[in-house]
Amino acid sequence: MNYEVYMLVTGAFLAIFLGLVHSYLGERYILTRLFKRELPKLLGSDWFTKRVLRFAWHLTTVAWWGFAGILFILSSPGEHTQKQILMVIAAVFLVSGLFSASFTKGKHISWIFFWLISGLSFYVAQSS
């Protein structure tokens, strides 16, 4: 392997590590402290506000893990690289939609768009 492969694989592992640290430290030191304060009341209470902030925070981790997957795929590209990257994109947007739908009980409609992007990416991956 050449040094570029090691660099991409190292970048992938760093992105995974960064996501873990971001989610853990964010929950422990930022979100829990933020939620003790008075927040805007969206849809009648601060419940929705807290849920949106929490899912948006952790969505960053999901995105970084998707980038880690893409970096790993690009470390040794092959005949099916486009299909593999599209599958990573489909998975990231599927999980993003699950986060949005479950954290807000479907009230934050981003899940619709996340799942549309996931489905489109999956469809193109399967047809290529």
Side-chain angles (χ1 to χ4, degrees), residues 39-51:
L39 297 171
K41 291 179 171 52
L42 301 174
L43 301 178
S45 74
D46 68 350
W47 176 89
F48 183 72
T49 306
K50 290 176 181 177
R51 300 303 284 191

Side-chain angles (χ1 to χ4, degrees), residues 6 48 63 72 86 92 95 119-120 124 128:
Y6 288 116
F48 183 72
F72 188 76
L86 284 169
V92 165
V95 171
L120 293 168
V124 172
S128 62

Side-chain angles (χ1 to χ4, degrees), residues 111-126:
W111 60 270
I112 296 168
F113 299 96
F114 290 142
W115 285 346
L116 283 171
I117 295 165
S118 176
L120 293 168
S121 299
F122 181 80
Y123 178 82
V124 172
Q126 296 307 307

Side-chain angles (χ1 to χ4, degrees), residues 1-2 13 19 94 98 102:
M1 281 200 278
N2 58 29
F13 282 109
L94 175 69
L98 289 170
S102 64

